[in-house]
Amino acid sequence: MWGGVKQLTNNRVVRSVAIVASGTAGAQAISLVFSPLLTRLYSPDAFGVLGTFLAIFAILAPLVAFNYPMAIVLPQRDEDAVCLAQLSIAIGVLNSCLIAGLLWVWGDALVALTNLEAIAPYVFALPVAMVLSAFLAVAMQWVIRKKRFALKAKIAVIQSFLVNSAKAGIGFLMPHAGVLIVVTTLGSGLHALMLFQRDARTTAGLGTQAGHSLKKLNTYRSLVVKYKDFAIFRTPQATLNAASQGLPVVILAATFGAATAGLYALSRMVLEAPAKLLGHSVATVLYPHINEAATGGENVLRLLIKATLALLSMGIVLFGGLVVLGPVMFGWLFGAEWRQAGSFAQWLALWTLVSFAARPCVAAIPVLKLERFFLLHEMVSALIRLSALFIGAMLWDSAMIAIALFSVANVVSYSVLIFVVLQVAQRVTTTYQQDDG
């Protein structure tokens, strides 16, 4: 299989994917190794509270910096990238303060309205998590811009070990949901701090360049306008996507209780581990490479098809076992009380497989200037996904049926996304070939 991948792309990209994948693999492996211990220390209710908190945070996260960190990879000049980094952090701090103020005024009412009293003690951890996520997003994109993939991989492993060790160590004494939330939140800040401190070569000039660039308001203004699609289209798209992915936890918690939400959250965590192993790694490396290929007139379509087929093949191997033996595997690994999470995983594996294969196409969207389509697609998809979820939960009063319908809706959504992106890539490739001819 790896031989096929090497035939589809150059050795430099393959090596970069392998480096990022090794770090992601290490981080996910550490999380999986700790999971059987954590599920025996913390109850499904505790995981349900954590899952609900993270779902709400995921919905708010794209609003923190309006997705401007993603644009850091694109400018040709480092000075422009630095300006984008500084703008992202400033926007993130301001928006996090705004969210904190809104929670101070209406937090209790919102918790009561959504029937999520279990997270009431932790709502003010949300703005903290948001501002730390802004710093982490900037750090991640800066390292990706500089192609410091080995550093990214190393830090991912260290951060995962420290966070999971803290969860386990404190959990022996205080196995409460608050411990999971606090450690997870601070883990993002630790991750960003380690990336900035360890990468002296690429961040040493960040402060001085920023200080010089702060005087150039016209530069900031022009960059905001130039990359406005990230704010206008990518931000609402990412918010809708996070809502459609995270609301199942919130709805399950509000409808069936925190324990059911915890079972769902564990099944998603287990499935996301292998998906992030290669899917995120491939997308991270392909994003700048697709940009280079498009600007250089290379065959973008062939690159995307090969990467998509490779991930689809890998996904069948990774997720096929869970479709057949989900309940048995979960009961053995995590304890008998988590067996139902394996039943959820049988359906969720189908959704994860298709979204896993779609990673290269998602990475190509900014390069192919498909932000408008991506937003429209996400709006329609979110409506279909959430409708399926509500039908299962409200009409049948069944968490299993709700999750099954939701998963099928996601399969259809990502399949349409792959098809459209490949069609546009074909037109772009054909145009370049005609121009060269």
Side-chain angles (χ1 to χ4, degrees):
M1 182 174 294
W2 279 111
V5 175
K6 289 181 180 179
Q7 294 175 0
L8 305 177
T9 186
N10 60 49
N11 290 334
R12 175 172 57 85
V13 175
V14 172
R15 286 196 300 269
S16 297
V17 169
I19 291 171
V20 177
S22 65
T24 307
Q28 295 300 325
I30 290 171
S31 295
L32 289 177
V33 168
F34 273 90
S35 292
L37 173 61
L38 295 178
T39 54
R40 286 167 172 83
L41 290 173
Y42 298 93
S43 67
D45 291 270
F47 271 92
V49 174
L50 172 65
T52 305
F53 174 87
L54 292 178
I56 297 172
F57 162 70
I59 296 170
L60 296 174
L63 302 174
V64 178
F66 299 142
N67 271 272
Y68 275 112
M70 288 193 66
I72 292 173
V73 175
L74 299 178
Q76 293 184 350
R77 300 192 314 156
D78 275 353
E79 291 81 359
D80 290 340
V82 169
C83 288
L84 284 170
Q86 292 297 311
L87 279 170
S88 299
I89 292 174
I91 294 171
V93 171
L94 290 174
N95 286 342
S96 298
C97 291
L98 176 61
I99 293 295
L102 293 175
L103 289 174
W104 180 268
V105 178
W106 290 300
D108 292 339
L110 289 174
V111 168
L113 179 65
T114 55
N115 195 30
L116 295 173
E117 285 80 3
I119 69 164
Y122 316 111
V123 291
F124 285 103
L126 283 169
V128 176
M130 291 172 64
V131 72
L132 292 179
S133 73
F135 280 93
L136 178 58
V138 169
M140 284 284 195
Q141 295 300 323
W142 186 263
V143 170
I144 291 171
R145 173 181 175 83
K146 293 300 181 179
K147 297 183 173 62
R148 296 279 283 132
F149 300 120
L151 171 74
K152 185 177 184 296
K154 179 181 178 181
I155 296 301
V157 172
I158 296 173
Q159 189 265 357
S160 179
F161 178 77
L162 293 176
V163 168
N164 282 284
S165 296
K167 290 178 181 178
I170 301 174
F172 276 107
L173 302 174
M174 296 184 297
H176 305 306
V179 173
L180 295 174
I181 290 175
V182 171
V183 172
T184 301
T185 298
L186 296 181
S188 297
L190 176 65
H191 200 165
L193 181 63
M194 288 191 295
L195 282 172
F196 279 128
Q197 284 191 338
R198 295 296 183 91
D199 193 19
R201 286 189 299 170
T202 59
T203 60
L206 190 60
T208 55
Q209 290 184 33
H212 179 66
S213 299
L214 284 172
K215 300 177 182 178
K216 301 180 179 179
L217 296 180
N218 289 335
T219 300
Y220 281 87
R221 190 179 300 110
S222 65
L223 289 173
V224 168
V225 173
K226 181 176 182 180
Y227 298 105
K228 65 181 183 300
D229 282 359
F230 286 91
I232 297 175
F233 301 113
R234 193 61 177 253
T235 296
Q237 177 277 321
T239 303
L240 285 171
N241 182 266
S244 62
Q245 308 300 332
L247 278 179
V249 180
V250 178
I251 293 173
L252 290 172
T255 307
F256 302 104
T260 300
L263 295 171
Y264 175 88
L266 179 68
S267 63
R268 284 292 296 144
M269 183 192 74
V270 172
L271 285 164
E272 285 178 350
K276 289 181 178 179
L277 167 61
L278 284 175
H280 174 71
S281 304
V282 169
T284 297
V285 176
L286 280 182
Y287 181 27
H289 185 67
I290 291 171
N291 185 49
E292 294 173 0
T295 55
E298 299 178 27
N299 194 323
V300 178
L301 175 63
R302 181 167 59 188
L303 176 65
L304 291 178
I305 290 177
K306 298 298 187 178
T308 300
L309 291 177
L311 289 185
L312 181 62
S313 301
M314 296 175 194
I316 292 173
V317 175
L318 290 171
F319 307 120
L322 283 173
V323 174
V324 179
L325 299 172
V328 175
M329 295 173 66
F330 272 69
W332 178 70
L333 283 173
F334 306 113
E337 63 179 340
W338 296 93
R339 187 180 176 88
Q340 189 180 358
S343 299
F344 292 167
Q346 289 179 300
W347 284 102
L348 295 174
L350 298 175
W351 157 27
T352 307
L353 169 62
V354 181
S355 65
F356 177 67
R359 292 295 184 97
C361 290
V362 173
I365 284 173
V367 178
L368 297 176
K369 302 186 184 305
L370 287 173
E371 303 293 353
R372 289 176 182 266
F373 157 74
F374 203 21
L375 175 58
L376 178 61
H377 172 271
E378 200 59 56
M379 292 172 64
V380 176
S381 298
L383 178 61
I384 295 174
R385 292 166 180 166
L386 296 180
S387 297
L389 186 66
F390 275 110
I391 289 172
M394 303 303 175
L395 186 60
W396 276 286
D397 192 27
S398 169
M400 182 62 70
I401 294 177
I403 290 170
L405 293 176
F406 181 73
S407 298
V408 172
N410 273 284
V411 169
V412 174
S413 172
Y414 279 104
S415 298
V416 171
L417 175 67
I418 292 172
F419 176 78
V420 172
V421 171
L422 292 181
Q423 289 294 311
V424 173
Q426 181 180 23
R427 290 201 296 268
V428 170
T429 300
T430 302
T431 300
Y432 276 125
Q433 290 175 345
Q434 290 175 348
D435 292 343
D436 290 341

